């Protein structure tokens, strides 16, 4: 099934169907961020839990890593964390499409 959005052109009375870009669903995300205290960990856990499709959030304060599991859009998760003023770095994403695994490397 293909997703569509309706756009109305200026000066015209009809709307055109334009296919949306498909966004791959994420099954697992490992995020690294600077954790100062337990309150920071609670904020990140709360923010991740609010994202639609997230089933579990595990915070490892020693290694400063958050593991998020479920079926969610990783861009929405990162956007939610950005709104909460949390700067995170993606370590690993496991996507739904062919169980692809993307590992972010430091440059």
């Amino acid at each position: 099934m293909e997703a569509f959005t309706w756009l109305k052109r200026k000066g015209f009375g009809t709307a055109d169907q334009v296919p949306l870009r498909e966004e791959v669903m994420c099954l697992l995300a490992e995020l690294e961020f600077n954790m100062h205290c337990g309150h920071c960990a609670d904020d990140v856990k709360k923010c991740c839990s609010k994202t639609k499709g997230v089933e579990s959030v595990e915070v490892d304060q020693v290694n400063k890593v958050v593991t998020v599991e479920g079926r969610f859009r990783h861009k929405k998760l990162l956007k939610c964390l950005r709104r909460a003023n949390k700067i995170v770095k993606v370590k690993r994403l496991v996507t739904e499409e062919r169980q692809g695994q993307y590992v972010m490397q430091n440059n």
Side-chain angles (χ1 to χ4, degrees):
M1 182 175 200
E2 198 169 339
F4 288 96
T5 183
W6 292 94
L7 294 177
K8 191 167 185 176
R9 291 184 185 175
K10 289 185 179 179
F12 297 99
T14 61
D16 293 328
Q17 264 190 337
V18 179
L20 290 173
R21 287 186 291 158
E22 289 184 34
E23 190 172 339
V24 179
M25 299 300 279
C26 189
L27 300 175
L28 178 116
E30 283 186 2
L31 309 170
E32 184 178 327
F33 75 105
N34 199 4
M35 224 179 309
H36 301 290
C37 59
H39 184 67
C40 294
D42 291 340
D43 286 348
V44 169
K45 188 171 184 173
K46 182 179 176 183
C47 191
C48 290
S49 298
K50 286 182 180 180
T51 305
K52 184 179 177 181
V54 171
E55 294 174 3
S56 69
V57 181
E58 296 176 16
V59 179
D60 182 6
Q61 290 184 343
V62 176
N63 296 325
K64 299 181 179 182
V65 174
V66 178
T67 306
V68 183
E69 294 181 12
R71 190 173 181 271
F72 56 94
R73 288 182 161 81
H74 71 279
K75 289 182 181 180
K76 296 228 179 204
L77 177 69
L78 296 176
K79 186 177 181 180
C80 181
L81 289 166
R82 238 182 279 122
R83 274 195 215 136
N85 292 325
K86 300 298 176 189
I87 300 169
V88 296
K89 187 171 84 174
V90 178
K91 281 182 75 173
R92 184 171 69 129
L93 289 177
V94 177
T95 60
E96 188 175 69
E97 186 177 282
R98 288 178 266 133
Q99 296 292 319
Q101 205 172 50
Y102 299 102
V103 179
M104 302 297 183
Q105 297 185 6
N106 297 338
N107 292 333

